[in-house]
Amino acid sequence: MGKEVDSFYLYCLAGMSLVVVGLTWFMFAAGFDITATHFTYPTSGLALILFEPIVSCLALGWVISVIVFIFGLLKAIRELWLDNKHINIAIKWLGNTLPILLILTISVLVMDYLLWPLWASHNGYQPCPSFTLFFTDPVTTAWVTDIEICHNDKVDAVLKNNLHETVLRANKFIENIKQ
């Protein structure tokens, strides 16, 4: 047996386990669907879509939180059993994995920020000008197939948030206007 583990460290580990359980529940309940929807918007054929670059980091952020939790758990176990070589190897591996995941997360965010707009433009979308649709959210941009949609106050009233259901409701409203 090794030395005692600080009780504050164990409380932090218990709190982190609750966070990881909550994030895991969120990812399986909605997070993966939100991410998939974000990446398929440019090929959806909708008249109005939203671009949120931060959504691309949901899955990687979840993976990082799980690895940080496992890393902390293994460090606590190592304090209890100092001579366990397998735990030391696992800690070293996780310590090497975290910087790679952080670099991967930043790379995915940058690639999404650069490539998603190109993909949307290639599929006939154009971003709304400043101070039109969804201008109050600094990280979300509305993209449309017809620039006149951006200047329609009724569409702006329907598009209250960036949820997929709201985007679908706004698209249904746009279809009704065009008919």
Side-chain angles (χ1 to χ4, degrees), residues 54-128:
I54 200 71
V55 170
S56 61
C57 294
L58 277 177
L60 285 171
W62 171 67
V63 169
I64 288 172
S65 70
V66 169
I67 287 180
V68 165
F69 171 70
I70 293 170
F71 185 75
L73 185 65
L74 288 174
K75 285 191 80 79
I77 292 171
R78 184 180 71 179
E79 291 298 320
L80 296 172
W81 295 285
L82 292 174
D83 55 350
N84 193 326
K85 293 178 186 175
H86 298 294
I87 291 176
N88 288 332
I89 290 170
I91 288 174
K92 184 178 178 185
W93 182 82
L94 286 173
N96 293 335
T97 304
L98 277 175
I100 293 169
L101 281 174
L102 288 173
I103 290 169
L104 183 64
T105 302
I106 292 169
S107 300
V108 165
L109 181 63
V110 169
M111 294 300 285
D112 185 45
Y113 195 77
L114 296 176
L115 294 179
W116 195 98
L118 292 174
W119 190 21
S121 295
H122 178 74
N123 285 303
Y125 290 96
Q126 51 192 330
C128 283

Side-chain angles (χ1 to χ4, degrees), residues 2-29:
K3 58 185 179 181
E4 285 187 31
V5 178
D6 186 20
S7 62
F8 177 74
Y9 185 76
L10 290 177
Y11 289 130
C12 289
L13 196 59
M16 183 66 181
S17 68
L18 293 175
V19 169
V20 167
V21 166
L23 284 175
T24 302
W25 175 81
F26 167 76
M27 287 306 294
F28 283 106

Side-chain angles (χ1 to χ4, degrees), residues 42-61:
T43 59
S44 66
L46 298 171
L48 167 71
I49 58 176
L50 296 178
F51 172 53
E52 301 172 90
I54 200 71
V55 170
S56 61
C57 294
L58 277 177
L60 285 171

Side-chain angles (χ1 to χ4, degrees), residues 134-148:
F134 228 82
F135 73 92
T136 55
D137 190 345
V139 294
T140 304
T141 309
W143 286 67
V144 293
T145 54
D146 182 8
I147 201 71
E148 290 181 19

